[in-house]
Amino acid sequence: MAVDRTNLFQATIKTVKTRNKILNIGSEEAKTTASIHPRPRGEFVARAKDVVQNISKLRDFLLKHRKDYIDATGYLTSEVSKMTDNERDQIDNDAQTFMRTCSEAIRILKTEVLKQPMPQQVRSHREAVFELMESYLKAVCKLYSEQRAIRVKRVVDRKRISRLEPEGRRTGTDMTELRQRHKRARPEQNSEEGDKERDESKVMKNTPASGDPLMEYLEEDEDDELSPEEIQMFEQENERLYNEMNSLVDEVRQIEGKVVEISRLQEIFADKVLQQEVEIDRIADTVVQSTENIKEGNEEVREAMKKDAGFRVWILFFLVMCSFSLLFLEWYS
Amino acid sequence: MAASIREKQTAALKRMLNLNLEPSRSSAVEPVWKVLVYDRFGQDIISPILSVPELRDMGVTLHLLLHSDRDPIPDVPAVYFVMPSEENVQRICQDLRNQLYESYYLNFISAVSRQRLEDMASAALQAGTVPQISKVFDQYLNFITLEDDMFTLRHSQNREAISYYAINRGDVQDSEMEASMDAIVDSLFSVFVTLGTVPIIRSPRGNAAEMVAEKLDKKLRENIRDSRNSLFTSDSLQAGQFSFQRPLLVILDRNLDLATPLHHTWTYQALAHDVLDLQLNRVMVEEPGGEKSPQGARPKKKAKSYDLNFTDKFWQSHKGSPFPEVAEAVQRELEEYRSQEDEVKRLKSVMGLEGEDEGAISMLSDNTAKLTSAVSSLPELLEKKRLIDMHTNIASALLDHIKVRKLDVYFEMEEKMMSKQSLDKSLMDMFSDPEAGSPEDKMRLFIIYFICSAQTMSDAEIDQYAVALQAANCDLAPLHYIKRWKAFTKMTAAPSQYGGGGTKTISMFSRLMNTGSKFVMEGVKNLVVKKHNLPVTRVADALIDNKSYQDTEDYRYFDPKMLRVTDSSIPRNRNPVQEAIVFIVGSGNYIEYQNLVDYVKGKSGGSIKRITYGCSELSNATLFLKQLAKLGTELH
């Protein structure tokens, strides 16, 4: 339970001020030093604060749209969901580019600032500031990746749930979609499935494309009366193609989920590898240095051996010459 | 009162570090950078509770001592956490004049006086930095919390003024005594301000504990009466904390029981404190280096320091267990870790097989899930390995010491003495055995024997032992003091207080060889300690249950909330006590703390929920013996 003494302190300042005024002490000093205020804000702090504010903006943006993005009750409402997938993709892209620029900005600021000379404590303070900024950015990125993982998981789950329904009903409604283009009347079945399927049909961009040749084929025959056997044949073919497309889409969705997981793992691995990179660089340098040292050492040893041998020969020669000259001189004199 | 004292202190510190605003709960909060400046008191208070990474999380980029050279760091707010002493205030004024930081948040550990506020105000005016002083707070955090339910008042060099020696000195003057008492009362007051309750105080008569109790009662009373500034108003209690139970504060004097601080220990935490000098939850272990160098030079020893705090689950569960149990537990943890590691390694082979398969999607999903879980559990595994390594090192260091000094034999003998069983090895043998322990150990053993002997020993016997002790290089000064203490307190009833304890020895040799554990404790006995209550626990038990126990009948009763000061010993408040705080004036130790913890555990289902143990300083047997020696030499 801390007690706030700030008010008391301010009151004390006032009393001291009045006391000083009465006694006329140090009023001059106070004025001159007071004129130093306001101090100019340091450049480092201003830029660092800018980066942090940008990251905060990103965080607010993500949090604001988080509810719509995740859209937990989307499949219950009959209206169009609050956020189309296009918007979701756009949010993803925007967030990614923003994060990249933020990390670039941190890096640039770091290299610039750390080059300047400054006292030790200021340096460690600034390094700690950078660490804190980076961890803040990482936390905000985590928000983003969580959101995205939830979205992908939701789509996969939806797909899995929808597969539990018997096939006939599903194909019936999709036939309805296709048939409606050709203005064929069909009893409205499974309207409660319709909403879910409508969402999915928006997601399944493949189906309309693959259905197109089929539709063209159908359209050509639209003028003719289709006999019941042909109708059935076409129906079966449609069914078959439709199932194939569905399973393909299934697999694609699942693979996407797996890929997201793998990318997360990759991130972790990349992190670790980057950490090790520094160590490995250092080790490589040391190794190179030691090989060079050894090479130099070898050369030195060789030189020494050579010099040794040469040196000894010369000494011997010189001594022998000296002795011969002595003998010669003695022989003469 | 659900929150323990450690949680409350942590919350207060975090609020302070958040520039005295409530910390927000949202994720990914924008960091506010600040510099933390503290003095030695502040350092002792913060270091057991907040680690450096936690400080980083709160935005602290630098933490510096107040009286060191500090460079000006512009545009950063500085949080000061200091005692309001004269030199500290002077140094703060100097900082203000040098304009080291952008804004100043001054937090004083205990209440700052008017005079000092004026000094700072005039310095600030002179320097023209008045608008930079953003906040001035009295934090009332003048105590050090070591565990969830254990606190002490002073540590390192600050503890001299309130040690056992200072209080019981022969030539202590009234003014010094007053100063020591005031320091203790100030700290106890901060404890209760932090807890937010007004306790009921009980203390024995006639010694330092009574003085402390009276002063504390007076201080609390004054504060409650002063309704404008009271620290205990109900709006200071947050919701969910309404407790109609008031805690019971039992203040005891060290003189109640001088044997326990000298007792040889057998539980993990107490052993670490006694043998390896556990300070502020940190242990220094000397590790012997590799093999001896060929010239037979000494192997290099490097000292490593380990932190033992509340995040370490193994420590929390085993700090009170007897040492052999700890050894077994470390083995178990090691095996568990190895099996988990093997599982992770096995995944590698599974991954290798997967490529040969048809690649069924379900198989793939299983593997990715397994891989994800394995990778995410890797940091935990690494952390676990680190903890196991740390505890292995500590336990082996302890084991070495035990073997060298034969601490297990001492422990057994002392337990037998305290429970008045007959000794199987006579004292003279112990003293004349040059291998068994240091001179201090022998001294401790003898003092305990002396204190616990039922009949007073004749002087001749004492002299006999004294000669033997001196032959073993013991310093006899503590003995003089103990003699006098015994005469003064007439503790002939003391031995009965230790009764009921005892040990059983289980031969551990064969069992350990079978399990092949690393801790080959041959020759070290596995002593199983029967549950018994130390004198402190007994007194606490009696007061909590309002039992009438001959020693505590005469204890004084203080209730600061009552209007009149009465001198009765009759408790007016007969509600069952849910929480108690036992405070020892003088030096405390981990043995008593462990005993209280065991007592609370044994009473589960009873009335008492938590007992907090406090002492004015925490000293192990070596330090306490030194203090006794000083007292003894002064007697002459």
Side-chain angles (χ1 to χ4, degrees), chain A residues 29-251:
Chain A
E29 285 181 45
K31 288 207 188 81
T32 46
T33 46
S35 63
I36 297 182
H37 281 288
R39 287 211 310 226
R41 287 186 70 81
E43 191 202 316
F44 168 75
V45 169
R47 288 164 73 182
K49 279 238 158 62
D50 272 342
V51 177
V52 171
Q53 270 167 11
N54 282 341
I55 303 180
S56 302
K57 264 192 259 167
L58 171 65
R59 180 194 62 172
D60 294 336
F61 173 72
L62 280 176
L63 284 175
K64 192 163 60 126
H65 293 290
R66 181 168 245 216
K67 198 162 165 303
D68 293 337
Y69 189 95
I70 294 185
D71 195 18
T73 59
Y75 62 89
L76 288 177
T77 58
S78 50
E79 312 120 28
V80 177
S81 58
K82 298 193 187 86
M83 197 181 264
T84 61
D85 275 318
N86 280 336
E87 289 181 7
R88 286 206 182 95
D89 287 337
Q90 202 188 8
I91 290 180
D92 284 346
N93 289 336
D94 285 342
Q96 268 177 354
T97 40
F98 206 77
M99 282 192 280
R100 233 169 276 144
T101 39
C102 283
S103 63
E104 264 304 304
I106 294 181
R107 210 175 48 81
I108 292 174
L109 190 59
K110 197 178 198 176
T111 42
E112 242 187 73
V113 164
L114 290 182
K115 263 189 294 199
Q116 304 162 3
M118 60 187 88
Q120 179 55 34
Q121 288 181 358
V122 180
R123 176 173 286 269
S124 28
H125 163 73
R126 290 193 179 169
E127 280 170 7
V129 165
F130 282 121
E131 265 180 48
L132 283 172
M133 276 204 288
E134 277 163 13
S135 53
Y136 183 45
L137 182 62
K138 237 187 250 176
V140 173
C141 292
K142 213 160 72 99
L143 275 181
Y144 161 72
S145 54
E146 272 171 14
Q147 267 180 232
R148 194 171 157 71
I150 291 179
R151 170 191 172 193
V152 170
K153 194 166 172 298
R154 194 168 293 285
V155 170
V156 171
D157 283 344
R158 225 182 265 153
K159 204 68 197 154
R160 215 180 294 151
I161 290 175
S162 67
R163 206 199 272 147
L164 292 174
E165 302 292 338
E167 284 235 290
R169 302 165 99 202
R170 270 179 68 237
T171 48
T173 23
D174 267 302
M175 288 316 195
T176 320
E177 303 266 7
L178 288 173
R179 297 289 170 78
Q180 269 174 359
R181 295 171 208 257
H182 313 291
K183 299 166 197 141
R184 294 241 184 195
R186 251 276 187 173
E188 262 304 307
Q189 288 180 12
N190 316 314
S191 49
E192 66 269 27
E193 292 288 316
D195 304 322
K196 217 193 303 179
E197 297 316 308
R198 216 175 289 134
D199 274 347
E200 292 194 1
S201 60
K202 283 207 196 98
V203 166
M204 292 187 300
K205 303 182 184 77
N206 302 335
T207 2
S210 55
D212 273 342
L214 187 62
M215 279 195 293
E216 279 168 19
Y217 178 55
L218 281 177
E219 275 186 51
E220 284 166 14
D221 288 335
E222 203 183 15
D223 300 330
D224 305 334
E225 284 282 336
L226 292 170
S227 57
E229 300 87 19
E230 283 181 327
I231 290 176
Q232 235 191 352
M233 230 175 46
F234 286 142
E235 270 191 38
Q236 280 174 10
E237 225 180 299
N238 285 347
E239 247 181 75
R240 201 179 37 88
L241 284 167
Y242 179 72
N243 288 340
E244 268 183 51
M245 294 310 149
N246 265 346
S247 54
L248 274 176
V249 164
D250 260 342
E251 291 182 15

Side-chain angles (χ1 to χ4, degrees), chain B residues 342-367:
Chain B
D342 287 338
E343 256 187 59
V344 174
K345 286 203 185 125
R346 238 183 335 111
L347 269 183
K348 204 172 70 162
S349 50
V350 173
M351 288 285 113
L353 284 176
E354 187 261 310
E356 300 174 5
D357 250 321
E358 282 297 302
I361 296 185
S362 57
M363 176 78 146
L364 179 61
S365 70
D366 268 350
N367 280 337

Side-chain angles (χ1 to χ4, degrees), chain B residues 228-373:
Chain B
R228 234 180 344 130
N229 292 341
S230 166
L231 298 159
F232 297 99
T233 54
S234 52
D235 22 69
S236 64
L237 287 174
Q238 283 119 20
Q241 249 190 26
F242 288 107
S243 61
F244 300 101
Q245 302 287 341
R246 292 164 58 194
L248 177 69
L249 170 65
V250 179
I251 305 185
L252 299 172
D253 193 280
R254 181 76 262 160
N255 286 323
L256 170 71
D257 167 20
L258 278 189
T260 313
L262 298 169
H263 188 32
H264 282 94
T265 56
W266 198 239
T267 56
Y268 193 23
Q269 190 177 33
L271 264 176
H273 181 78
D274 192 12
V275 173
L276 294 176
D277 202 17
L278 175 74
Q279 304 245 9
L280 287 182
N281 290 345
R282 183 170 291 184
V283 181
M284 294 282 286
V285 174
E286 270 190 6
E287 281 175 39
E291 310 83 32
K292 286 200 165 109
S293 60
Q295 279 80 21
R298 297 177 57 129
K300 265 188 300 181
K301 286 192 184 199
K302 45 189 173 84
K304 285 189 67 169
S305 85
Y306 298 114
D307 274 338
L308 297 164
N309 52 23
F310 53 89
T311 52
D312 183 350
K313 280 204 300 270
F314 181 82
W315 175 248
Q316 287 301 319
S317 47
H318 289 281
K319 64 185 178 193
S321 350
F323 189 63
E325 262 183 49
V326 170
E328 285 177 36
V330 172
Q331 283 300 111
R332 273 202 307 265
E333 291 278 314
L334 192 58
E335 281 164 22
E336 237 183 80
Y337 164 76
R338 287 228 178 96
S339 66
Q340 276 178 333
E341 200 181 355
D342 287 338
E343 256 187 59
V344 174
K345 286 203 185 125
R346 238 183 335 111
L347 269 183
K348 204 172 70 162
S349 50
V350 173
M351 288 285 113
L353 284 176
E354 187 261 310
E356 300 174 5
D357 250 321
E358 282 297 302
I361 296 185
S362 57
M363 176 78 146
L364 179 61
S365 70
D366 268 350
N367 280 337
T368 41
K370 265 193 252 172
L371 194 56
T372 323
S373 60

Side-chain angles (χ1 to χ4, degrees), chain A residues 295-314:
Chain A
K295 254 186 257 163
E296 280 176 28
N298 276 343
E299 280 177 23
E300 296 278 340
V301 167
R302 222 170 286 138
E303 291 279 312
M305 278 186 346
K306 253 193 300 182
K307 275 205 197 118
D308 231 2
F311 195 53
R312 228 178 282 144
V313 166
W314 279 113

